Every structure is written in C-alpha cells, then in structure tokens.
Amino acid sequence: LAQRCKRFFCHRISHVVTINAHLFYPVYCLRFDRTGRFFVTGSDDNVVKLFRLGTVGCEAKVRRGASSMQENISEQRGAVLICTLRGHASVITDIDVSSDNSLLATASEDGDVRIWGMTNGCPVAILRGHEGGANMVRLRFNNIFTKYMDVF
C-alpha cells in the first residue's frame, strides 16, 4: 500500500518553476493564495514578494510575403513578480493570506506583524511589540492572531 501511494503521488508532483528573486538569501516561508494563482515569499533579505503563476509564452513574428502572423514558439510555466513589499527590519518568519484574498499578513523577527493589501500591496496596519520576534501569524475571520516568544 505504501509503495502504491508513493507511486501515485510521484506521478502527480512535478517541478513547476525555480524562482531566484531574493538574490542569495534563503526563502523561509511561502504561501499560496486561496485561488492558487498567486504566491508570496518571505526571506532573509527582510523583503516579501508577491508572484503570479501562469504560462509564459515566447512569441515571434514570422513574415511570409506581405502578411505576418504570430507563431507561438514555446510555452513555459513560470511566475511573474507582481510587487515587492518592504518595511520589515529582520527575517520574515511567516506569511498568511486572508480567506477572501484581500489581506496579507507577515511576521518578522523584528517583532512586527504587518498587514498589507493584496490588491495594491499598500500597508494596512503594523502591529508592534512582540518581544523576541513574531514567529507565526494567521488571518482568520477578520481577526489577527499572532504567536510569539517573549524573551525574559
């Protein structure tokens, strides 16, 4: 049974895309939105990045006589950077997206939890005062819950 499940999942999982948007910094957290078309990454560079998944087509114009036509040479699955969210002063530790895809929450070791608008990337709120850093954030039913460790 275990081998059969392993074969089932191995056929369904495939490498989609490699993103090198945070330069040489490791990505610590990644979260998809509720539609699965967007994802957000948080990294050691103190930056949050929002991407859109899709098919990137490479088009070329082929000229034949007096008419020209577009020919799709290749199609690749890829991700497009939508926006970069700056404001944290330390490593991004967690990300969450609201159930209606309108808000994005980020937690950081700087002790801040930041709430951003998903549609425009503008900051909505900053929750400060988590001693020792904010390790986890969840957006549920329009309430924000944070879990943190206070250093004594």
Side-chain angles (χ1 to χ4, degrees):
L1 179 65
Q3 287 294 331
R4 197 169 92 199
C5 287
K6 184 177 177 181
R7 276 184 273 146
F8 174 76
F9 286 115
C10 286
H11 291 303
R12 292 192 172 268
I13 297 173
S14 65
H15 178 261
V16 175
V17 66
T18 301
I19 307 293
N20 292 321
H22 288 279
L23 300 176
F24 301 108
Y25 298 98
V27 172
Y28 287 124
C29 46
L30 181 141
R31 179 83 57 185
F32 281 89
D33 77 333
R34 303 300 185 234
T35 66
R37 292 181 298 166
F38 296 89
F39 68 93
V40 186
T41 59
S43 177
D44 203 8
D45 59 359
N46 312 339
V47 173
V48 177
K49 296 196 177 203
L50 175 64
F51 296 90
R52 179 180 52 85
L53 281 176
T55 303
V56 180
C58 179
E59 295 182 353
K61 288 189 177 182
V62 178
R63 191 145 187 97
R64 293 200 180 132
S67 66
S68 67
M69 58 181 256
Q70 296 230 346
E71 190 174 275
N72 198 352
I73 294 175
S74 67
E75 285 192 0
Q76 300 176 353
R77 291 180 287 183
V80 177
L81 178 64
I82 300 298
C83 66
T84 300
L85 308 174
R86 300 179 190 279
H88 284 290
S90 189
V91 175
I92 310 301
T93 55
D94 198 18
I95 297 171
D96 198 24
V97 178
S98 65
S99 58
D100 62 353
N101 285 339
S102 65
L103 296 174
L104 167 69
T106 57
S108 174
E109 285 184 359
D110 63 6
D112 291 351
V113 171
R114 292 178 180 261
I115 312 299
W116 314 83
M118 275 286 284
T119 56
N120 56 12
C122 291
V124 174
I126 302 173
L127 308 173
R128 297 185 188 269
H130 297 90
E131 294 179 22
N135 297 322
M136 187 185 89
V137 65
R138 291 292 174 262
L139 290 169
R140 297 291 182 257
F141 306 108
N142 295 328
N143 293 322
I144 301 162
F145 300 101
T146 60
K147 180 179 179 181
Y148 56 90
M149 295 177 53
D150 287 326
V151 178
F152 297 99

